[in-house]
């Protein structure tokens, strides 16, 4: 145990680039320097996206240093009026310094946080920059992230000659290996050239004396067909389509094959940055593709009885490239491997559904071949699923009749939703994914079980049915017979719904604490409002989130008509709305019920729910009641 006193002197404030050096893994991939190259490259590509750059060079030198040069506008060299430093020094030495926050200098860009290239400087033993702009050439140098050469003019250039060249030597102490993954780098460079038509990218490997040049005017189709990962594509001509909207756009290339392989091309990009973990654009692509192909199958009566295709059935034989462009993309982290811009999902879904539906109806023969692939995949999936009714395999008391069980026996996959009311339960049954989601409607407010013994609560038929459904006995620490990996409380977003959710939380905390500590209990967060602005749809949990959404819409479009619908309850939501906001793992909001060791949770629940604490509760309400939000 540390004997050092914990006082104000113990608090450290990291300045400059120290946070990056202390925790490099928070800012980049420390396996190898590839991500550092990508950070510098993305700045050059942003210049190309903005229309200022036509050529980028990436050079790997024998001494391990790497150069990325472009013919864009060149980093700013004038002095910043507030910080009294040159623009280039601010960019390279200050975290969160950049020109991409407002969106005024760059329409679409990959650099968003003002962090990337300063991370490169922090983790490089040496970094030098040459800047050409305003008919002059400038140079500045850094060692270990610190400036060692002042910015100075070193020559004259032509008035049309501009750009930036960054040369850096990654520092061994921050990386597992300094060896660049050249295969991955070349694939990335080619993809950048394909996705940015007219941009020339030159690659030079000094050690191997290897030179490659990529430039494509219309390259997405060729790229999909060349890198499909299969020997034969289903469509003679890869389907390519684009869609632009306000502040966002999408380009997609898509084809199919009879082959199934993990090497099939399935790539997603945002502002030309590869998103290996997918995210919002991939989710929208899946949803739009599924809707269009299901609609095509239904219209032409192609589906065999009892077969329902899902997005994975369609994608298993699919090769595709998705290239999204967003003015203000939200990524999951600095490495930008997953897009988290929720609003983009609906844009992509609508664009894919509309474009694919038109194409399918114009190419019915090819459409039927695609449908046949998906149907075969669905049939194969159905055969691999154990075809038994979980209710019949349950050993013990008969499961309650109102439980709509799921098909999967995999506890880690299955989910049980405890839904307030039969009306909402009916919508939830239509919205669920039958394979792994079960629904059990509850009749209004359950019994307040806080003051009761576990043996007494089974006198309530509602709680007895719930207990039978989950397979765990109240008060028993043994949860080996638990039937669902997630138990999700789903109640209305109003005060009555919150009361019901509180009673259920108390039930689990008091009588099924082992489920809480095992992380099995969740509370679903259904929206209270739906906001329609032109063709865009948003959902808000409460008044504050609704006001923020409306405010953000007004920032970008002051004339758009905004319609706001307040849901009176879950039963008022149709199945598709319930699926998107509550049931679908990719877009729903679930809060895990956990115990905070620093707070006395039992004491608070006792104050709120115990009949013996009525006087204390009254005093507490008199003292704290003014804090309630009306």
């Amino acid at each position: 145990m540390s004997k050092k006193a914990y006082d104000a002197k113990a608090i450290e404030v990291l300045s400059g680039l120290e946070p990056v050096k202390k925790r490099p893994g928070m800012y980049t991939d420390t396996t190898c320097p590839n991500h550092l190259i990508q950070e510098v490259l993305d700045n050059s590509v942003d210049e190309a996206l903005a229309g200022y750059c036509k050529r980028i060079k990436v050079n790997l030198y024998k001494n391990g240093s790497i150069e990325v040069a472009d013919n864009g506008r060149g980093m700013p060299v004038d002095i910043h009026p507030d910080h009294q430093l040159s623009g280039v020094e601010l960019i390279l030495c200050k975290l969160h310094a950049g020109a991409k926050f407002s969106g005024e200098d760059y329409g679409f860009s990959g650099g968003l946080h003002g962090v990337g290239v300063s991370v490169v400087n922090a983790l490089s033993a040496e970094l030098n920059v040459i800047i050409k702009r305003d008919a002059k050439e400038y140079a500045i140098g850094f060692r270990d992230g610190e400036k060692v050469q002042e910015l100075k003019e070193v020559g004259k250039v032509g008035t049309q000659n501009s750009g930036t060249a960054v040369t850096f030597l990654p520092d061994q102490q921050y990386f597992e290996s300094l060896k660049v993954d050249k295969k991955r780098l070349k694939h990335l460079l080619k993809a950048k050239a394909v996705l940015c038509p007219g941009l020339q990218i030159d690659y030079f490997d000094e050690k191997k004396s290897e030179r490659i040049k990529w430039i494509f005017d219309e390259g997405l189709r060729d790229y999909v067909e060349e890198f499909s990962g299969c020997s034969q594509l289903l469509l003679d001509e890869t389907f390519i389509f684009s869609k632009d909207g306000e502040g966002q756009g999408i380009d997609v290339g898509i084809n199919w094959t009879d082959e199934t392989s993990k090497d099939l091309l399935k790539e997603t990009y945002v502002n030309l940055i590869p998103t290996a973990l997918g995210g919002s654009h991939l989710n929208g692509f899946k949803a739009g593709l599924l809707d269009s192909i299901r609609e095509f199958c239904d219209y032409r009566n192609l589906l065999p009885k009892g077969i329902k295709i899902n997005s994975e059935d369609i994608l298993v034989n699919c090769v595709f490239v998705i290239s999204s462009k967003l003015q203000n993309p939200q990524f999951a982290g600095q490495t930008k491997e997953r897009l988290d811009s929720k609003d983009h999902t609906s844009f992509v879904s609508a664009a894919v559904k509309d474009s694919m539906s038109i194409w399918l109806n114009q190419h019915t023969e090819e459409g039927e071949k695609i449908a046949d692939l998906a149907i075969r995949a669905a049939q194969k999936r159905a055969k691999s699923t154990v075809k038994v009714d979980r209710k019949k395999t349950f050993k013990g008391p008969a499961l309650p009749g109102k439980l709509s069980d799921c098909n999967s026996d995999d506890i880690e996959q299955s989910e049980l939703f405890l839904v307030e009311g039969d009306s909402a339960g009916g919508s939830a049954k239509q919205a669920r994914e039958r394979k792994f989601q079960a629904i059990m409607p509850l009749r209004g407010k359950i019994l307040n079980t806080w003051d009761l013994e576990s043996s007494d609560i089974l006198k309530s038929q509602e709680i007895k049915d719930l207990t039978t459904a989950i397979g765990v006995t109240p008060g028993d620490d043994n949860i080996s017979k638990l039937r669902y990996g997630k138990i999700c409380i789903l109640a209305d977003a109003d005060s009555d719904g919150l009361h019901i959710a509180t009673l259920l939380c108390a039930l689990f905390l008091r009588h099924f604490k082992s489920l809480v500590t095992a992380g099995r209990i969740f509370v679903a967060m259904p929206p209270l409002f739906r906001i329609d602005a032109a063709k865009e749809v948003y959902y808000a949990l409460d008044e504050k989130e609704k006001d923020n959404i409306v405010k953000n819409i007004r920032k970008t479009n002051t004339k758009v008509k905004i319609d706001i619908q307040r849901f009176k309850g879950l039963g008022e939501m149709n199945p598709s709305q319930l699926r998107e906001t509550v049931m679908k793992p990719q877009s729903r909001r679930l809060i895990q019920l956990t115990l905070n060791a620093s707070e006395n949770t039992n004491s608070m629940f006792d104050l709120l729910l115990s009949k013996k604490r009525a006087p204390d509760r009254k005093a507490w309400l008199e003292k704290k009641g003014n804090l309630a939000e009306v």
Side-chain angles (χ1 to χ4, degrees):
M1 183 181 292
S2 174
K3 296 182 180 179
K4 185 178 178 181
Y6 177 59
D7 51 22
K9 290 185 292 184
I11 299 172
E12 294 182 79
V13 179
L14 300 178
S15 59
L17 300 178
E18 282 303 308
V20 183
K21 295 181 178 182
K22 285 275 189 182
R23 301 286 188 271
M26 291 178 61
Y27 296 87
T28 191
D29 179 2
T30 55
T31 307
C32 66
N34 275 59
H35 194 257
L36 292 191
I37 302 173
Q38 185 178 318
E39 290 285 9
V40 184
L41 177 65
D42 285 343
N43 282 356
S44 297
V45 171
D46 287 343
E47 284 287 288
L49 285 172
Y52 299 107
C53 171
K54 294 295 182 183
R55 186 179 183 185
I56 299 173
K57 298 179 182 179
V58 178
N59 300 325
L60 307 182
Y61 296 112
K62 290 180 180 178
N63 67 349
S65 64
I66 301 144
E67 180 185 28
V68 179
D70 64 60
N71 64 348
R73 290 170 290 183
M75 287 185 186
V77 294
D78 55 315
I79 302 300
H80 193 282
D82 296 328
H83 296 279
Q84 295 301 306
L85 293 172
S86 64
V88 60
E89 190 173 344
L90 271 178
I91 292 170
L92 288 161
C93 294
K94 299 289 184 183
L95 295 177
H96 308 293
K100 297 162 188 175
F101 298 107
S102 67
E104 294 179 4
D105 292 274
Y106 294 87
F108 300 112
S109 69
L112 302 167
H113 313 121
V115 170
V117 76
S118 54
V119 169
V120 179
N121 189 23
L123 304 182
S124 295
E126 180 179 336
L127 184 144
N128 297 293
V129 185
I130 299 294
I131 300 166
K132 298 175 183 178
R133 62 181 292 157
D134 304 324
K136 297 176 182 178
E137 184 173 319
Y138 302 85
I140 188 171
F142 302 85
R143 301 291 181 277
D144 301 319
E146 301 292 334
K147 182 176 64 175
V148 294
Q149 178 189 328
E150 294 287 346
L151 178 69
K152 63 180 181 179
E153 183 181 335
V154 295
K156 304 288 185 182
V157 295
T159 55
Q160 300 300 314
N161 193 352
S162 63
T164 304
V166 178
T167 305
F168 63 96
L169 180 65
D171 193 329
Q172 173 70 66
Q173 65 177 305
Y174 300 115
F175 297 91
E176 295 175 21
S177 169
L178 291 182
K179 186 177 180 180
V180 174
D181 186 335
K182 296 176 183 178
K183 181 179 179 181
R184 184 154 58 98
L185 175 61
K186 286 188 279 189
H187 183 80
L188 174 68
L189 296 177
K190 182 169 184 176
K192 299 275 191 186
V194 168
L195 298 171
C196 191
L199 173 65
Q200 178 178 324
I201 298 183
D202 298 328
Y203 169 83
F204 172 59
D205 182 352
E206 186 180 37
K207 187 177 290 185
K208 292 187 175 181
S209 297
E210 180 183 17
R211 293 182 184 275
I212 306 175
K213 178 178 76 174
W214 295 285
I215 182 170
F216 301 90
D217 291 321
E218 296 290 338
L220 191 54
R221 179 175 287 107
D222 292 339
Y223 181 70
V224 171
E225 292 174 0
E226 181 178 347
F227 288 92
S228 65
C230 65
S231 58
Q232 184 66 45
L233 289 170
L234 183 69
L235 307 181
D236 293 333
E237 189 172 290
T238 295
F239 178 41
I240 307 292
F241 67 90
S242 302
K243 173 77 172 180
D244 291 317
E246 188 173 337
Q248 57 189 332
I250 185 80
D251 296 293
V252 174
I254 183 171
N255 209 320
W256 277 265
T257 175
D258 281 319
E259 302 169 33
T260 55
S261 167
K262 64 179 181 180
D263 297 323
L264 292 182
L265 178 71
K266 301 177 193 291
E267 292 183 352
T268 61
Y269 297 83
V270 176
N271 296 350
L272 275 65
I273 295 174
T275 44
L277 301 180
S280 307
H281 48 341
L282 180 59
N283 294 338
F285 173 75
K286 289 180 178 180
L289 198 60
L290 178 61
D291 287 346
S292 61
I293 292 179
R294 274 184 176 174
E295 188 178 83
F296 178 78
C297 289
D298 290 343
Y299 183 74
R300 304 183 73 83
N301 295 317
L302 300 176
L303 286 175
K305 187 176 180 180
I307 292 296
K308 184 178 181 181
I309 59 175
N310 62 26
S311 59
E312 297 308 317
D313 298 328
I314 297 170
L315 292 181
V316 68
N317 296 96
C318 186
V319 295
F320 60 84
V321 175
I322 305 167
S323 177
S324 284
K325 293 179 182 178
L326 285 159
Q327 282 188 345
N328 186 31
Q330 305 296 315
F331 291 99
Q334 174 58 26
T335 52
K336 302 170 186 172
E337 292 183 306
R338 188 179 77 246
L339 179 67
D340 275 355
S341 298
K342 305 298 183 188
D343 299 344
H344 192 54
T345 301
S346 58
F347 170 79
V348 175
S349 177
V352 172
K353 183 181 186 299
D354 291 347
S355 300
M356 196 69 202
S357 294
I358 293 171
W359 185 90
L360 286 168
N361 287 303
Q362 291 175 343
H363 302 78
T364 54
E365 187 177 342
E366 290 93 335
E368 289 186 0
K369 291 179 181 178
I370 294 168
D372 182 58
L373 284 176
I375 290 168
R376 278 190 278 155
Q379 290 171 328
K380 183 178 180 181
R381 172 173 54 83
K383 288 180 181 177
S384 65
T385 303
V386 179
K387 291 286 189 175
V388 294
D389 187 343
R390 294 181 82 228
K391 289 186 179 181
K392 294 178 182 177
T393 62
F394 184 83
K395 294 181 180 179
L399 291 179
K402 59 185 177 180
L403 171 68
S404 297
D405 214 347
C406 58
N407 295 328
S408 176
D409 286 318
D410 184 354
I411 187 176
E412 296 304 328
Q413 185 187 41
S414 58
E415 303 174 348
L416 172 64
F417 281 82
L418 304 176
V419 185
E420 174 192 348
D422 291 334
S423 176
S427 292
K429 288 175 190 177
Q430 295 179 61
R432 68 171 173 152
E433 179 59 58
R434 184 186 295 269
K435 178 180 178 182
F436 64 92
Q437 290 177 330
I439 306 295
M440 185 169 177
L442 301 176
R443 294 178 184 173
K445 294 184 176 75
I446 68 162
L447 179 70
N448 180 357
T449 62
W450 188 255
D451 286 332
L452 301 178
E453 295 297 326
S454 294
S455 57
D456 293 331
I457 67 173
L458 294 179
K459 294 176 183 178
S460 164
Q461 187 62 43
E462 197 81 13
I463 294 175
K464 184 178 180 181
D465 288 346
L466 190 156
T467 299
T468 304
I470 64 177
V472 177
T473 304
D476 192 350
D477 290 334
N478 181 5
I479 61 171
S480 61
K481 293 183 180 180
L482 179 67
R483 304 181 66 247
Y484 304 96
K486 283 188 175 74
I487 299 171
C488 308
I489 299 169
L490 176 55
D492 291 346
D494 58 13
S495 56
D496 280 340
L498 294 176
H499 188 193
I500 291 170
T502 301
L503 290 172
L504 284 167
C505 288
L507 170 68
F508 287 114
L509 180 62
R510 177 74 172 84
H511 302 284
F512 299 91
K513 193 172 183 179
S514 53
L515 294 181
V516 177
T517 56
R520 300 294 189 179
I521 309 300
F522 295 80
V523 179
M525 304 296 288
L528 192 59
F529 297 97
R530 170 183 166 133
I531 302 105
D532 289 86
K535 295 183 179 179
E536 299 295 326
V537 178
Y538 307 86
Y539 292 96
L541 293 181
D542 50 32
E543 290 275 358
K544 184 177 180 181
E545 189 172 33
K546 178 203 70 176
D547 293 341
N548 286 336
I549 291 172
V550 172
K551 184 178 178 182
N552 290 332
I553 294 171
R554 289 299 183 202
K555 279 183 181 178
T556 57
N557 190 338
T558 57
K559 296 181 180 180
V560 67
K561 181 183 177 183
I562 298 177
D563 292 318
I564 299 175
Q565 176 189 359
R566 188 184 193 279
F567 296 115
K568 294 179 181 178
L570 295 170
E572 199 174 277
M573 301 176 72
N574 62 45
S576 63
Q577 292 172 335
L578 205 57
R579 180 186 304 114
E580 185 67 27
T581 60
V582 175
M583 312 293 289
K584 191 175 178 181
Q586 296 88 344
S587 55
R588 70 189 181 189
R589 300 194 221 186
L590 283 182
I591 294 179
Q592 189 176 43
L593 194 61
T594 59
L595 291 174
N596 192 331
S598 63
E599 297 178 3
N600 194 336
T601 307
N602 283 332
S603 177
M604 177 54 72
F605 266 93
D606 197 59
L607 174 64
L608 293 174
L609 297 175
S610 176
K611 295 178 181 179
K612 303 172 185 177
R613 300 288 301 277
D616 296 333
R617 191 156 48 247
K618 180 181 178 182
W620 182 77
L621 287 170
E622 290 174 346
K623 183 179 180 181
K624 303 282 189 177
N626 64 312
L627 300 178
E629 295 182 4
V630 180

